[in-house]
């Protein structure tokens, strides 16, 4: 720190360009890999969220865990991506999207792709989404949620051949 009367103060801070990860960071990375899909059975998903910061953080988290992620800021772009990428297995969508909301998006997506698995995210249940009858291809998660809850819902949806009875568990 340098300070001169009448000129002001200069503060210089030197940080290392890179640091070795701590054992805690390595353990966090291992937990992320364990939360994700297996290398032999990759999960390709579409993440739909209109809040850019939430989207960026969640997409980074999912990609670090090994998911293949396409993201869209709205329903229109989400439908374009579904049409362009038939390999997408699962759609994660916020319910409170502007214009066409997440429930309307899901209905149109399922019209185009009947086997598409869906995970609804909502900070409030204005449309009764969470109380809807169970569907083996659908899960609901209230915001805020823990990373572990997100990964648990994704693992459940990604599991082989869900039955109606399993969806009610």
């Amino acid at each position: 720190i340098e300070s001169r009367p009448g000129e002001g103060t200069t503060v210089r801070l030197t940080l290392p360009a890179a640091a070795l990860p701590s054992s805690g960071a390595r353990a966090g990375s291992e937990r992320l890999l364990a939360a994700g899909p297996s290398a032999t059975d990759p999960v390709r998903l579409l993440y739909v969220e209109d809040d850019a910061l939430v989207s960026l953080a969640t997409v980074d988290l999912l990609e670090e865990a090994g998911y293949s992620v396409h993201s869209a800021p709205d329903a229109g772009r989400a439908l374009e991506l579904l049409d362009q990428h038939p390999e997408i297995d699962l759609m994660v969508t916020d319910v409170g999207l502007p214009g066409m909301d997440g429930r309307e998006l899901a209905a149109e997506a399922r019209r185009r792709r009947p086997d598409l698995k869906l995970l609804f995210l909502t900070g409030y249940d204005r449309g009764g989404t969470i109380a809807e009858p169970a569907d083996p291809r659908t899960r609901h998660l209230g915001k805020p949620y823990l990373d572990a809850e997100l990964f648990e819902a994704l693992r459940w949806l990604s599991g082989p051949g869900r039955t109606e009875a399993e969806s009610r568990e």
Side-chain angles (χ1 to χ4, degrees), residues 28-112:
S29 296
E30 290 168 8
R31 279 193 302 273
L32 268 180
L33 290 175
S38 71
T40 58
D41 191 20
V43 175
R44 295 155 306 263
L45 65 85
L46 172 59
Y47 181 74
V48 189
E49 170 64 60
D50 62 314
D51 183 316
L53 293 176
V54 171
S55 181
L56 182 63
T58 305
V59 167
D60 282 350
L61 177 72
L62 292 168
E63 287 177 341
E64 285 181 36
Y67 290 88
S68 173
V69 184
H70 294 276
S71 64
D74 56 46
R77 181 68 181 133
L79 292 170
E80 289 174 8
L81 287 168
L82 279 175
D83 290 342
Q84 294 168 3
H85 297 279
E87 74 277 6
I88 292 173
D89 303 315
L90 192 152
M91 182 170 70
V92 179
T93 183
D94 185 16
V95 172
L97 297 172
M100 179 187 287
D101 70 26
R103 295 177 74 208
E104 295 166 324
L105 168 59
E108 178 58 25
R110 283 264 174 85
R111 187 187 70 71
R112 297 175 186 203

Side-chain angles (χ1 to χ4, degrees), residues 77-155:
R77 181 68 181 133
L79 292 170
E80 289 174 8
L81 287 168
L82 279 175
D83 290 342
Q84 294 168 3
H85 297 279
E87 74 277 6
I88 292 173
D89 303 315
L90 192 152
M91 182 170 70
V92 179
T93 183
D94 185 16
V95 172
L97 297 172
M100 179 187 287
D101 70 26
R103 295 177 74 208
E104 295 166 324
L105 168 59
E108 178 58 25
R110 283 264 174 85
R111 187 187 70 71
R112 297 175 186 203
R113 307 260 302 272
D115 293 332
L116 184 68
K117 296 172 184 176
L118 294 168
L119 175 58
F120 286 106
L121 306 175
T122 183
Y124 51 96
D125 191 20
R126 72 175 173 197
T129 303
I130 292 176
E132 287 179 5
D135 178 315
R137 303 163 299 158
T138 306
R139 280 299 215 215
H140 304 90
L141 192 57
K143 291 180 182 180
Y145 52 82
L146 300 173
D147 294 349
E149 294 171 314
L150 174 62
F151 289 128
E152 181 181 338
L154 291 172
R155 273 192 308 275

